[in-house]
Amino acid sequence: PGAAGAGAPPSANPMDQQLTQLLTSSNWCSFSYNQTSGRTNSSKGAFRPDGILVMSTNTEGGTVNQFGGSMGVNGSVYSQQQAQWRVQGGQLYVNLGQGFQLVPLQITRNSNGYPIITANGTEYSQCN
């Protein structure tokens, strides 16, 4: 079988359908703040139904030295990239240009019942 991408036939596997529906139901965002450096990192992923994943990342903030003084602002860095994605066997696979690689996911719910996806140690929640 060739690489799945745009126009890939939908899977008949109910687990695949459920994960695909969850991933495409909204954008997925993460946010972290480093108290030592004063840096914030945010990312947003959009799983499009055509098999394209659009990932945006933003890093902002200054560096704070170990004595509490500011060492100046480092500014902001924004990037965006696209990848192919597919769900197979209840697992997420992403192709960043070197073939499809498994991305282990853990799906839990927060105290309000909303899904939280943890991938590569980073928690993602639904966002606009």
Side-chain angles (χ1 to χ4, degrees):
S11 171
N13 179 335
M15 256 186 0
D16 290 359
Q17 291 174 345
Q18 189 175 12
L19 180 55
T20 297
Q21 184 178 9
L22 176 65
L23 293 173
T24 58
S25 67
S26 72
N27 294 321
W28 294 92
C29 294
S30 72
F31 178 83
S32 66
Y33 172 73
N34 184 310
Q35 190 171 357
T36 304
S37 69
R39 270 181 118 44
T40 61
N41 295 298
S42 58
S43 64
K44 180 178 184 177
F47 291 87
R48 296 187 345 202
D50 65 359
I52 301 296
L53 168 59
V54 180
M55 297 171 290
S56 308
T57 59
N58 192 37
T59 302
E60 294 184 19
T63 301
V64 178
N65 68 29
Q66 67 268 32
F67 306 108
S70 177
M71 294 169 57
V73 175
N74 283 342
S76 166
V77 178
Y78 175 83
S79 70
Q80 186 176 63
Q81 72 180 111
Q82 290 188 359
Q84 292 178 299
W85 72 276
R86 71 179 182 206
V87 171
Q88 184 176 335
Q91 302 278 353
L92 172 65
Y93 292 85
V94 173
N95 180 358
L96 293 167
Q98 287 119 23
F100 282 94
Q101 304 291 321
L102 173 65
V103 179
L105 299 180
Q106 180 181 4
I107 301 169
T108 56
R109 295 201 177 270
N110 68 12
S111 58
N112 293 323
Y114 292 101
I116 302 293
I117 296 176
T118 304
N120 297 323
T122 302
E123 287 188 357
Y124 295 86
S125 57
Q126 292 176 313
C127 62
N128 292 328

